[in-house]
């Protein structure tokens, strides 16, 4: 499978950009663990037939920093190619599934661990650089992209699940089409970017 690209670059590599009226799925960041020192996020999608992805995340480098990036669940269990720039507040990651000829529905693709923030700070997607690719080498760019707000000042406690004992509150920062899900105590939709 060729490198994942979007827009005019996609045409140059022979992949097809899929544009749809309704989002083809979501690309999300979810807090899966918080301690006093770290916040662990997973990168996942609700898209179907996923054989690869690329994501570009931005964050405030004065508030947090990436400590590590690792793979998700099979077929994305290997560590992705990651470029972390803590000085400027960005991380680029991409990966092709172990067998890119077979897509996976709604995979968890990566785990990113950040330093715990002292005050709330957003981790958001750069929409133009965040997409999934299917096993047919189609770049799916029409995705709703849900970032998160790292809840600064939470006690972190016992390192439990973000919504469990010792976990702080979290909210979501959204990019992409304006489709909304009902708010819950753990996720709050905010502005599109």
């Amino acid at each position: 499978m060729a490198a994942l690209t979007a827009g005019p670059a996609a045409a140059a590599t022979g992949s097809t950009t899929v544009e749809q009226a309704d989002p083809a799925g979501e690309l999300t960041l979810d807090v899966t663990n918080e301690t006093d020192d770290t916040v662990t996020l997973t990168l996942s999608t609700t898209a179907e037939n996923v054989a690869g992805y690329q994501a570009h995340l931005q964050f405030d480098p004065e508030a947090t920093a990436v400590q590590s990036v690792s793979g998700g669940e099979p077929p994305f269990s290997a560590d992705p190619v990651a470029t972390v720039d803590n000085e400027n507040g960005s991380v680029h990651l991409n990966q092709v599934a172990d067998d890119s000829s077979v897509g996976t529905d709604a995979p968890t693709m990566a785990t990113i661990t950040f330093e715990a923030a002292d005050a709330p700070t957003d981790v958001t997607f750069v929409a133009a650089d965040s997409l999934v690719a299917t096993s047919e080498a189609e770049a799916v760019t029409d995705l709703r992209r849900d970032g998160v707000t790292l809840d600064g000042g939470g006690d972190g406690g016992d390192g439990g699940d973000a919504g469990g004992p010792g976990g702080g509150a979290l909210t979501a920062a959204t990019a992409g089409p304006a489709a909304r899900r009902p708010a819950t105590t753990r996720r709050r939709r905010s502005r599109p970017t």
Side-chain angles (χ1 to χ4, degrees):
M1 179 177 212
L4 301 176
T5 56
T13 63
S15 65
T16 305
T17 300
V18 177
E19 306 237 354
Q20 301 171 353
D22 293 322
E26 297 179 12
L27 196 57
T28 61
L29 293 171
D30 290 301
V31 175
T32 57
N33 191 37
E34 280 185 272
T35 69
D36 288 335
D37 300 320
T38 63
V39 178
T40 301
L41 309 178
T42 55
L43 170 66
S44 59
T45 185
T46 60
E48 297 178 354
N49 194 28
V50 176
Y53 72 92
Q54 68 182 32
H56 178 187
L57 308 176
Q58 290 184 315
F59 55 91
D60 180 353
E62 299 295 320
T64 190
V66 173
Q67 287 191 337
S68 66
V69 177
S70 58
E73 297 172 356
F76 296 100
S77 53
D79 289 347
V81 174
T83 304
V84 176
D85 183 353
N86 283 326
E87 185 174 313
N88 293 304
S90 74
V91 58
H92 295 260
L93 39 143
N94 68 73
Q95 186 174 24
V96 175
D98 298 331
D99 180 357
S100 62
S101 67
V102 178
T104 301
D105 294 345
T108 297
M109 301 170 293
T111 300
I112 306 106
T113 301
F114 284 86
E115 291 177 0
D118 291 331
T121 189
D122 290 338
V123 178
T124 59
F125 288 95
V126 175
D129 297 336
S130 301
L131 57 96
V132 297
T134 68
S135 61
E136 289 86 27
E138 293 177 328
V140 181
T141 60
D142 188 18
L143 299 166
R144 187 168 110 191
R145 295 162 182 90
D146 296 332
V148 296
T149 298
L150 305 182
D151 183 30
D155 65 32
D158 63 4
D161 180 357
L170 80 108
T171 58
T174 303
R180 304 276 185 225
R181 286 188 295 207
T184 67
T185 58
R186 291 188 60 199
R187 294 186 73 129
R188 173 179 52 85
R189 301 286 175 227
S190 62
R191 68 195 180 290
T193 55

